[in-house]
Amino acid sequence: MKIRIINPNSTASMTAKIGECAKSVAAPGTEIVAVNPSDSPPSIEGHSDGAKAIPGLLAEIAKGEEEGFDGYVIACFDDTGLDACREIAVGPVVGICEAAMHSASMIATGFSVVTTLSRSVPIIEELAEKYGMHRKCRRVRASELPVLALEEEGCEVREQIRDEILRAIAEDRCEAVLLGCAGMADLTDWLSDETGIPVIDGVVCAVKMVEALIGAGLATSKVGGYAAPREK
Amino acid sequence: MKIRIINPNSTASMTAKIGECAKSVAAPGTEIVAVNPSDSPPSIEGHSDGAKAIPGLLAEIAKGEEEGFDGYVIACFDDTGLDACREIAVGPVVGICEAAMHSASMIATGFSVVTTLSRSVPIIEELAEKYGMHRKCRRVRASELPVLALEEEGCEVREQIRDEILRAIAEDRCEAVLLGCAGMADLTDWLSDETGIPVIDGVVCAVKMVEALIGAGLATSKVGGYAAPREK
Amino acid sequence: MKIRIINPNSTASMTAKIGECAKSVAAPGTEIVAVNPSDSPPSIEGHSDGAKAIPGLLAEIAKGEEEGFDGYVIACFDDTGLDACREIAVGPVVGICEAAMHSASMIATGFSVVTTLSRSVPIIEELAEKYGMHRKCRRVRASELPVLALEEEGCEVREQIRDEILRAIAEDRCEAVLLGCAGMADLTDWLSDETGIPVIDGVVCAVKMVEALIGAGLATSKVGGYAAPREK
Amino acid sequence: MKIRIINPNSTASMTAKIGECAKSVAAPGTEIVAVNPSDSPPSIEGHSDGAKAIPGLLAEIAKGEEEGFDGYVIACFDDTGLDACREIAVGPVVGICEAAMHSASMIATGFSVVTTLSRSVPIIEELAEKYGMHRKCRRVRASELPVLALEEEGCEVREQIRDEILRAIAEDRCEAVLLGCAGMADLTDWLSDETGIPVIDGVVCAVKMVEALIGAGLATSKVGGYAAPREK
Amino acid sequence: MKIRIINPNSTASMTAKIGECAKSVAAPGTEIVAVNPSDSPPSIEGHSDGAKAIPGLLAEIAKGEEEGFDGYVIACFDDTGLDACREIAVGPVVGICEAAMHSASMIATGFSVVTTLSRSVPIIEELAEKYGMHRKCRRVRASELPVLALEEEGCEVREQIRDEILRAIAEDRCEAVLLGCAGMADLTDWLSDETGIPVIDGVVCAVKMVEALIGAGLATSKVGGYAAPREK
Amino acid sequence: MKIRIINPNSTASMTAKIGECAKSVAAPGTEIVAVNPSDSPPSIEGHSDGAKAIPGLLAEIAKGEEEGFDGYVIACFDDTGLDACREIAVGPVVGICEAAMHSASMIATGFSVVTTLSRSVPIIEELAEKYGMHRKCRRVRASELPVLALEEEGCEVREQIRDEILRAIAEDRCEAVLLGCAGMADLTDWLSDETGIPVIDGVVCAVKMVEALIGAGLATSKVGGYAAPREK
């Protein structure tokens, strides 16, 4: 099984971290290839960054189809371009926000999300609504860390995220916390230990979900909303 | 007041029709400029067409900002890239689906939409949900006419749309019908006459809505979700 | 274009303020007439005040129809009697809460409302639900100022409202604030300046919205819920 | 226990029928007084009829308070003026639509409503939404019988309603049917027998509900939305 | 009229308290029998306690059917096994959470719930959603008192509940408070007096509601979801 | 990885079929054990059958915990006792309805369900609501085949299901169809071939989902709603 993980931003160090994280949980027999477009913004912070990343993202899906990939992960917590990717791919495509929310809903009655900047909060809230998770999603919180600060890894960054998780536990009546950025994937274990609550990373969940869908013999439905694009 | 109407697809004849329609309803003192990107798909039929149109659309907004436009209309019923455009524009940006739905909700207790292909139905349903119009939107119907068939204007095309409207009246308990494609803008009057129900075109509504917002002194809020993109 | 603005309460000083405010934003060619019934409560604070105001309000609509008005604004933030007025009017009728909420939803991802007394909070929350704005409406807040205190204009009144807006910004994650009473219409600019967030007045929005609907050629649908009253 | 049943329209024969129906189910010790305002429309068919009926309705509540009534029933399926009445009454006030929907929700997983004219359908749908019953309310159906036709009692009228109930059973997957007009109260038993499904009348349910609330020691909360009207 | 009140847990002192409370509000002519299964958990605190109580609960319903009971109350605020009981009973079956929420919705625009342990909060929130009461239910609060602490009646217990009610009034904008455990039934009057807000007990409401349904001639619908179990 | 699949009914032939189906999709290294309680109903058709099956089901989870199982599947489309099982298990517990709905939502914009008897329709609709899938779940349809008819496998049974799927495609605008009973697990491939739409079986999806959750390092959160039962 070949899974292509596409980090829609152009920061290669983040792609490497994501790929490593994905490989550490992939099943035996799953081949992980982590890529990123070269012509997209270095980080996706808001709607227009996301919009600018999509053409490169779609090109990576198209390349994946040529190379025979079985499924895809979109490794940005905004689930950038997810519906458009599904039109182009034959196999399943899973976003990391979607995967984290579906997973959390099966192990907890409610969860909060800790993301980067507050400008991303309405985007993630809209995804929760779209996925039917608005009741389970108690609150989306911003740590006010920019995405790329996560690449300059230092103690303070992870402690800032930990403190926001502790606030979520105290105030939101949440039973799990989702990390709202692919760049936080390497902090999951430390944060779970520090906070005593399941801390869930979307990259890990999405890899396992796309393996699950492929293993269940499911491909993207080509009847209706995800039909292949029409030729012009 | 200068309003820039952006048809996100690259079909210039459709842009011309949209511009004409917009000018016919614009208030005295409103200058309408209708444009389209040259590097986008000739029609937007589904998510990936939409995604491919966004970079050109954002460039048209950026150009508009340089040239001092006061507001913008996105003239595709999928409201392509609307949130991203709002980050870049200072003045208001209005989508034609959004404008038509808000307008309809103030003159009727429920409406149906008649669009082009069935692949667009889930996209418009999701917009209805996003705008809080899912209760008022009785049903989204496909006429199964491709977007560009609307450019080859013939009697059959408009009759096919009329017949779908008549089915909506008979089956959906709707009190108004929205035309779910910018390319139908010139058929509004004829369809209203034929069907005896308010038939609402999004281009007309969006021009009047953006005039209204500007006239009310409102600009896009730069606090939160529509803040200007961060510099990288 | 002739627009009749009906303040459903009987306080003439408030009607004058509303009319002035409306005229200041009306398009060239729009004639504004602001009226109020003489036999309604001096202020509308709660359901029964509203109910008592409706017969006089309907009479003002009927008078407007005889005099050839093209559209109407109901200038009370409870949108008193809005559906009943639509049955009687041929042209569009717009409530100021409705207009403010629709407008806010096109320039911000979320807003709060600052109104007068806490007894009005559930009424406005129910309107938000009815208009499909409950997700966008972060919170309805009471300043605990009675409606008529706004007529005794003094510094303290406007400062009390400003302080509630500042609390809304700090606590609600709102991107705009709606003034939840027609009597606050003259404070908009000062409050926007003081708080740095778009502060939105419903009277202004409703005037521009009803101009927009008329300009788009739309009248109230007479099929179904807003059909003219049956003769008995 | 004294319960005042107010038919908000001015048709005395309907008030008599409602009163009889109420008395037939009242508990021993419950005194039923059925009244109607004299200055309201002869039937309530749509929003403006309802609005015109409210002042007389409120006066009947006020009279009831003076005379020491313990609770009230509003005997129109639009639950005309219900919130306003609650501000004025100390004891509980129950609408017949509300009572029928709450009752149905405790004996069936879903129900349909058969009402008079189609113009009332959006009003009842909005009530279902307000009461949280939109999921349980499968469909609101119009028999297209005007309210007063129910007073000219003939076989055809009741057969027309029966036929609509049979269509509801066949098409809506409903497990009970609500009669959507106080004027149908006398047909309940015959319709249940003919259709083999629980047919529920709101007058009966509301009498028993208001008895239940009073018996439970509950009065209308005077904290917040139903506080007594402010003196001006 | 014979009503069987089933406390699904096996603590007889609680059953006695519930029975007493029920008798104090029952109408003349209503015979109350309060029972509990002997083989169920001593208290229901969470999903698995509830699940273990259901077989005994169903047996009590079956026994009631044999003995000719007209209706049933499930006296646990989780409304344990309510749908299953409805399949077996001919007459109406009412849960105390359901009865309290429906009652509260007719006397207040919003309410909060004060229950025992925080593990019960998501269960009650899900019931609010199921009954369409999620908008009216402002918040479900835990006093962190275990169910059986309510049996060791002491001043501190009732004061702890009172303090949580006072917090609900201050923070939730609620207009009534529901006691979220059958074991609190005897505290209602004292708590109402202390807090100045309607405090609502589910046992009382459910007794009156089931009397009301029976009095209205309503039985559980046997068409669809509550049809009698199929023989195997 | 050891996964215990519990068929909550007592029909061993169905358990065998489910186990076979599960093994055919399990990953290398996953050990599948399929069991059923001996003291539960032979089929689960409605709420009371479900309630009666839960004690045996919980005992099977408890046995699984002793024997060191890593996760569980509840193999009944009503997701019988799911929340109660989660309190007892340390590892993840997944229901087949839940798994099928989450999976479908990642490969299609909307789906229908084809189940056995119409009495199960409201149960599955309530699950769709609980899981946030009510917008994606276009319709739940009954084939009117009893559960055990699926064990007497003959051509007619599978053709009856196929015909209902074809009706779903024609009428519901669905993009995938879920088989609403564990006993249909062996028909998936044939039905997909016959209907040309993704046909999704819950057993397969649940096995892959629970593998995914375990592989992602996730266990049931023990903070809040799924905390271990309290000792009495």
Side-chain angles (χ1 to χ4, degrees), chain C residues 181-200:
Chain C
C181 179
M184 299 174 181
D186 53 335
L187 304 176
T188 318
D189 291 344
W190 184 80
L191 289 167
S192 280
D193 287 350
E194 287 280 308
T195 62
I197 202 172
V199 174
I200 299 179

Side-chain angles (χ1 to χ4, degrees), chain D residues 95-133:
Chain D
I96 65 171
C97 171
E98 171 186 59
M101 287 187 175
H102 285 297
S103 298
S105 80
M106 289 186 272
I107 63 156
T109 73
F111 56 82
S112 287
V113 177
V114 173
T115 189
T116 52
L117 301 174
S118 56
R119 68 179 305 142
S120 296
V121 172
I123 295 175
I124 296 172
E125 288 177 335
E126 196 166 308
L127 291 177
E129 187 80 21
K130 174 176 173 169
Y131 302 146
M133 294 290 161

Side-chain angles (χ1 to χ4, degrees), chain F residues 22 55 126 128 138 161 189 218 220-221:
Chain F
E126 196 167 308
R138 302 263 185 252
I161 297 170
D189 291 344
L218 296 175
T220 300
S221 174

Side-chain angles (χ1 to χ4, degrees), chain E residues 36 38 41-42 46 54 63 65 74-75 82 94 107 135 156 168-169 175 190-191 197 205 218:
Chain E
N36 62 258
S38 55
I54 298 181
K63 221 179 293 174
E65 289 297 284
I74 310 299
L82 181 56
V94 174
I107 63 155
R135 261 188 73 219
E156 283 152 49
I169 294 171
E175 304 177 3
W190 184 81
L191 290 167
I197 202 173
C205 293
L218 296 176

Side-chain angles (χ1 to χ4, degrees), chain D residues 52-172:
Chain D
K52 282 172 190 158
I54 298 181
L57 171 61
L58 292 177
E60 286 297 334
I61 300 273
K63 220 178 295 174
E65 289 297 284
E66 278 167 32
E67 299 175 14
F69 278 83
D70 298 293
Y72 302 88
V73 168
I74 311 298
C76 172
F77 210 79
D78 295 357
D79 287 358
T80 316
L82 181 56
D83 289 316
C85 292
R86 282 184 178 145
E87 287 185 0
I88 292 173
V90 168
V93 187
V94 174
I96 65 171
C97 171
E98 171 186 59
M101 287 187 175
H102 285 297
S103 298
S105 80
M106 289 186 272
I107 63 156
T109 73
F111 56 82
S112 287
V113 177
V114 173
T115 189
T116 52
L117 301 174
S118 56
R119 68 179 305 142
S120 296
V121 172
I123 295 175
I124 296 172
E125 288 177 335
E126 196 166 308
L127 291 177
E129 187 80 21
K130 174 176 173 169
Y131 302 146
M133 294 290 161
H134 50 289
R135 261 188 72 218
K136 300 227 164 201
C137 183
R138 302 261 185 254
R139 186 162 161 193
V140 182
R141 289 167 167 273
S143 63
E144 299 305 352
L145 284 167
V147 172
L148 295 181
L150 298 166
E151 297 309 284
E152 303 153 16
E153 233 170 295
C155 270
E156 284 152 47
V157 161
R158 65 185 207 173
E159 281 167 6
Q160 212 167 322
I161 296 170
R162 180 199 56 196
D163 292 351
E164 194 65 35
I165 293 176
L166 294 174
R167 276 190 289 275
I169 294 171
E171 298 171 13
D172 305 354

